Amino acid sequence: MREGKDHFPTSGASSFLRRPTIWDTCLLIFLLLLTFTAPRILIGASGGSLKAGSYIEVRTVDGSSVISLKKDATHIVKGPLGAAKIIIEDGQARMESAPCPLKICEAMGPIKNAGETILCLPNRISVKVTGGEGELDAVSR
Amino acid sequence: MRSPGRVAYLALLIAAAFVLSSLERALPSPVPMIRLGLGNVMTLTAFAVLGLRDGAWVTFGRVALVSFIWGGVFSPTAVMSLTGGAASLMVMIPLALCGRRFSLYGISIGGAFAHISAQLAVASALYVQSADLFRLLPFLGSIALVTGIINGGIATLLASKLMLNKVPGSG
């Protein structure tokens, strides 16, 4: 059954059909490292600080607003797909009950450090933590 | 020249890739943004059974069919899946040509990683105009590596089975 030129297995191609090689493992390790280092390099100076922020800047298609992280609160933000709930609790902000199909924003979990961002692409909402320590309470526009 | 049997075989793999991609689109994902990328299994299978060029055709055929049938040809989703497919080929083919060092597992994880990176890059450029989206890379990239291993395993199994059988019409 396995010999004959009419078989599709082209010579050499079947060398892919093996157990994972040492090279596969090296590639996996390299990509794992890249997974965790590339974002830092790419985002660079724009974020990455480990200081707790004091505000979140919420951007939607209608504009942006700045909300204090110090006060626990629930904010309803409207996007093209509908209303999303942003919950502020213990100096952390998280997206809850978003109307987007994939719920990536909910899965991104709570954010608290300056520069951290929750993005909801389908609903065009971004939530970014800004500011270290400051005096402003709440500014909206 | 491809023999008619080979063409039919290629068409079969493209059709299977299309069906798997469509099913994946239709099923609600239990966890956000986690897609197995089962369409890529057929590309990997084609790499082993038919060769690299036909594998590339499976990817482009799948992307074209999915875009034509499920969404606009120039919709953002179509652009995303095209760049994802092209990027994964641009990584998988060099890996496959790399002196037989990599098995389907390595080729698969390389492709999966390229796919998610390209999609994040396109989404960053199209929607966000900043690199913020790459904050998702540790999360999505790790998942891509896991699904890459799973897909590599499925493709290895499938291609091994397929290669045991004589293909009808091949002579």
Side-chain angles (χ1 to χ4, degrees):
Chain A
M1 275 298 269
R2 300 200 68 178
E3 72 274 337
K5 293 219 163 177
D6 289 332
H7 278 261
F8 281 171
T10 42
S11 58
S14 55
S15 72
F16 302 140
L17 298 180
R18 283 178 289 168
R19 290 170 180 281
T21 64
I22 187 80
W23 288 92
D24 293 331
T25 317
C26 291
L27 180 71
L28 181 66
I29 293 167
F30 170 72
L31 290 179
L32 259 180
L33 289 175
L34 198 63
T35 296
F36 289 98
T37 52
R40 281 163 207 269
I41 296 164
L42 280 169
I43 296 159
S46 74
S49 79
L50 287 173
K51 272 190 204 156
S54 39
Y55 305 98
I56 50 170
E57 190 186 351
V58 180
R59 287 188 186 216
T60 66
V61 278
D62 300 325
S64 67
S65 56
V66 178
I67 300 166
S68 171
L69 265 178
K70 305 272 153 113
K71 267 184 276 179
D72 291 2
T74 302
H75 296 270
I76 308 291
V77 184
K78 286 208 178 85
L81 291 184
K85 208 191 274 180
I86 296 169
I87 292 185
I88 296 170
E89 214 171 46
D90 304 325
Q92 300 186 331
R94 65 189 154 86
M95 189 83 87
E96 195 172 280
S97 68
C100 50
L102 295 176
K103 315 276 186 209
I104 303 166
C105 44
E106 289 180 24
M108 289 176 82
I111 51 173
K112 62 173 180 191
N113 294 325
E116 286 182 327
T117 312
I118 296 174
L119 289 162
C120 185
L121 286 185
N123 211 15
R124 305 285 179 91
I125 294 174
S126 80
V127 180
K128 186 173 193 172
V129 181
T130 55
E133 301 303 313
E135 291 298 313
L136 287 169
D137 189 22
V139 185
S140 292
R141 72 177 155 91
Chain B
M1 266 312 266
R2 296 184 182 90
S3 71
R6 233 181 137 86
V7 173
Y9 213 90
L10 176 57
L12 188 77
L13 288 177
I14 294 176
F18 167 69
V19 169
L20 288 173
S21 288
S22 305
L23 275 180
E24 234 177 40
R25 271 180 161 233
L27 291 175
S29 170
V31 193
M33 197 74 179
I34 299 180
R35 285 200 178 177
L36 257 175
L38 284 173
N40 203 38
V41 169
M42 291 302 148
T43 300
L44 292 164
T45 307
F47 277 169
V49 181
L50 297 176
L52 297 181
R53 186 176 302 185
D54 288 351
W57 277 112
V58 172
T59 290
F60 285 122
R62 164 175 64 88
V63 169
L65 281 174
V66 167
S67 304
F68 273 125
I69 292 172
W70 298 122
V73 183
F74 298 106
S75 71
T77 341
V79 173
M80 297 267 280
S81 64
L82 182 61
T83 41
S88 65
L89 283 179
M90 274 155 57
V91 169
M92 289 195 294
I93 290 176
L95 286 178
L97 289 174
C98 214
R100 300 185 187 190
R101 286 190 175 91
F102 297 97
S103 70
L104 280 187
Y105 289 93
I107 298 169
S108 176
I109 58 172
F113 189 81
H115 190 270
I116 190 65
S117 308
Q119 294 211 318
L120 284 178
V122 171
S124 301
L126 283 183
Y127 302 104
V128 210
Q129 278 98 43
S130 86
D132 269 338
L133 263 189
F134 276 89
R135 285 176 199 287
L136 289 170
L137 189 65
F139 175 61
L140 296 176
S142 316
I143 291 166
L145 293 178
V146 174
T147 59
I149 294 170
I150 296 171
N151 285 347
I154 299 175
T156 304
L157 209 68
L158 182 60
S160 314
K161 295 268 182 210
L162 287 177
M163 287 167 79
L164 289 178
N165 293 316
K166 192 165 180 168
V167 179
S170 67

